[in-house]
Amino acid sequence: MTLHRVSPCEHGKTHHIRELVAGSEFSVRECRTKNGFPRTHLVTVDKYPDTVRR
């Protein structure tokens, strides 16, 4: 299985979720919008090109 490294996220925030499969969505409290809501991140090959085989 190929996983994509998602920490730090596309906005540069380091968080507890390390790897996910492409097509997954995640949100973490460390990465928030300017209004204070957690951002939703979509894992794509373009946004998270570093991979790990498990």
Side-chain angles (χ1 to χ4, degrees), residues 26-47:
F26 70 96
S27 61
V28 290
R29 62 182 172 194
E30 293 86 354
C31 188
R32 296 181 176 270
T33 65
K34 64 181 178 180
N35 295 329
F37 296 105
R39 288 188 174 132
T40 300
H41 301 77
L42 177 62
V43 179
T44 65
V45 175
D46 295 333
K47 292 179 184 177

Side-chain angles (χ1 to χ4, degrees), residues 8-29:
C9 73
E10 62 190 281
H11 304 105
K13 304 292 182 179
T14 302
H15 53 83
H16 67 282
I17 302 173
R18 301 290 177 227
E19 298 127 5
L20 289 170
V21 295
S24 299
E25 288 186 355
F26 70 96
S27 61
V28 290
R29 62 182 172 194

Side-chain angles (χ1 to χ4, degrees), residues 2-13:
T2 301
L3 301 173
H4 295 268
R5 291 183 201 260
V6 295
S7 183
C9 73
E10 62 190 281
H11 304 105
K13 304 292 182 179

